[in-house]
């Protein structure tokens, strides 16, 4: 590689975690070696940084992590100082608009609130999100958030229903109040239209004093698109075809230690 890498950022689902939802030993070892090269390591995820801060211990990479960029670039937690910085929140009134727009779809909705996850329904999708993030589920109508600003709202449903919702959004919805991105087959996320993982990385670069061309990013899904496009992007072998199209590099899948394979070959 010709690029000078100062920070490695990895997506979680479909990238850092394999299909058994663990970080493999090969990936742990490769990530740990980055510090020897004076390269920072961080997480770039749609999940809440509060949950990921706990989960990195369970995943066995807490000692190797310098930062967590959560909410698809909406907040960055510096693990060395404990400072949480937030950017580009979305108005709750716009999330109420989302629910009205998609009222004919068989889906559930949820909002992360620090150490809890609030959902309209207690269903399999909500419980799955809570299990994956080790957060308690609180059932309410989400009206509390109508007058607030939040990081994002999740739409949860079966893949076929989320396919329908995504198609409806892309062909029928015209608004500058929010944008929606697909993060997993069962999740559609509603965000401030200015928000992306790439925007979050801009803030990180300002803080540390380097440029996007010094940031190596790994991802697999459409909510990773901007950071793969705008940084030194690596598409996982299991990545969405659109991610592979715009990535500078490709690696093996998340079930083949794709992160470790690329780092050992090009960085370490």
């Amino acid at each position: 590689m010709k690029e000078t890498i100062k920070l490695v950022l990895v997506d979680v689902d479909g990238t850092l975690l394999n299909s058994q939802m663990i970080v493999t030993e090969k990936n742990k070892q490769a990530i740990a070696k980055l510090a020897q090269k004076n390269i920072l390591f961080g997480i770039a995820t749609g999940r809440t940084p509060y949950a990921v801060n706990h989960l990195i211990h369970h995943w066995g990479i807490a000692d190797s992590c310098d930062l967590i960029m959560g909410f698809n670039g909406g907040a960055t937690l510096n693990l060395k100082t404990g400072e949480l910085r937030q950017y580009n929140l979305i108005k709750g009134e716009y999330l109420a608009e989302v629910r009205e727009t998609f009222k004919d779809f068989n889906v559930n909705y949820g909002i992360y609130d620090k150490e809890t996850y609030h959902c309209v329904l207690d269903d399999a999708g909500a419980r799955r999100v809570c299990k994956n993030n080790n957060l308690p589920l609180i059932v309410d109508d989400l009206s509390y958030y109508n007058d607030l600003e939040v990081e994002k709202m999740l739409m949860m449903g079966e893949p076929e229903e989320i396919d329908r919702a995504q198609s409806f959004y892309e062909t029928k919805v015209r608004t500058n109040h929010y944008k929606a991105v697909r993060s997993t087959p069962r999740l559609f996320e509603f965000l401030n239209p200015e928000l992306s993982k790439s925007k979050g990385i801009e803030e990180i670069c300002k803080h540390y004093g380097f440029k996007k061309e010094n940031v190596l990013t790994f991802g697999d899904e459409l909510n990773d698109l901007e950071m793969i496009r705008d940084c030194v992007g690596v598409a996982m072998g299991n990545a969405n075809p659109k991610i592979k199209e715009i990535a500078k590099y490709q690696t093996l899948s998340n079930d083949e230690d794709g992160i470790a394979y690329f780092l050992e070959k090009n960085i370490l």
Side-chain angles (χ1 to χ4, degrees), residues 75-256:
T76 300
L77 177 63
N78 185 317
L79 295 174
K80 306 306 179 186
T81 66
E83 179 186 14
L84 180 74
R85 306 175 73 188
Q86 295 177 293
Y87 333 99
N88 298 122
L89 301 178
I90 185 170
K91 292 182 179 180
E93 64 186 274
Y94 296 157
L95 299 180
E97 178 184 321
V98 169
R99 292 176 59 191
E100 176 63 23
T101 300
F102 291 85
K103 63 183 179 182
D104 294 328
F105 290 83
N106 183 26
V107 294
N108 192 6
Y109 295 95
I111 291 175
Y112 290 114
D113 191 342
K114 296 183 179 178
E115 302 280 356
T116 58
Y117 186 55
H118 293 241
C119 291
V120 176
L121 302 171
D122 180 354
D123 64 7
R127 291 192 295 273
R128 186 181 300 111
V129 171
C130 288
K131 179 181 179 182
N132 289 344
N133 289 279
N134 196 26
L135 293 176
L137 172 62
I138 296 176
V139 178
D140 64 40
D141 64 3
L142 305 184
S143 60
Y144 169 77
Y145 300 98
N146 288 353
D147 298 321
L148 303 177
E149 291 185 321
V150 301
E151 290 85 2
K152 65 176 182 178
M153 182 172 69
L154 272 63
M155 173 191 286
M156 299 160 285
E158 290 302 311
E160 297 79 8
E161 195 68 0
I162 299 300
D163 286 344
R164 288 184 60 238
Q166 182 177 0
S167 177
F168 179 80
Y169 169 75
E170 292 173 349
T171 59
K172 303 295 184 182
V173 177
R174 298 290 180 266
T175 181
N176 58 5
H177 291 167
Y178 58 84
K179 73 173 182 179
V181 294
R182 188 80 171 263
S183 57
T184 77
R186 289 182 167 86
L187 295 178
F188 204 32
E189 306 190 2
F190 294 86
L191 317 160
N192 184 309
E194 299 299 316
L195 184 64
S196 71
K197 289 185 179 181
S198 183
K199 290 285 187 180
I201 292 171
E202 283 183 15
E203 299 295 334
I204 292 171
C205 288
K206 289 177 188 177
H207 179 75
Y208 285 99
F210 46 69
K211 299 179 180 179
K212 285 184 178 179
E213 48 262 45
N214 303 129
V215 182
L216 183 68
T217 57
F218 290 80
D220 71 303
E221 201 38 275
L222 294 179
N223 63 329
D224 302 318
L225 190 148
E226 290 89 352
M227 77 169 186
I228 295 294
R229 180 194 64 204
D230 298 339
C231 301
V232 183
V234 183
M236 303 300 292
N238 54 290
N240 186 301
K242 292 182 180 179
I243 299 299
K244 291 182 177 180
E245 285 176 10
I246 53 92
K248 188 163 189 178
Y249 300 100
Q250 291 189 33
T251 188
L252 302 179
S253 76
N254 63 324
D255 282 326
E256 299 171 293

Side-chain angles (χ1 to χ4, degrees), residues 12 16-17 21 23 28 47 52 55-61:
V12 172
L16 176 65
L17 301 183
M21 303 299 286
V23 181
K28 290 178 189 178
R47 300 190 191 204
V52 176
L55 289 167
I56 55 176
H57 295 272
H58 173 71
W59 296 333
I61 58 171

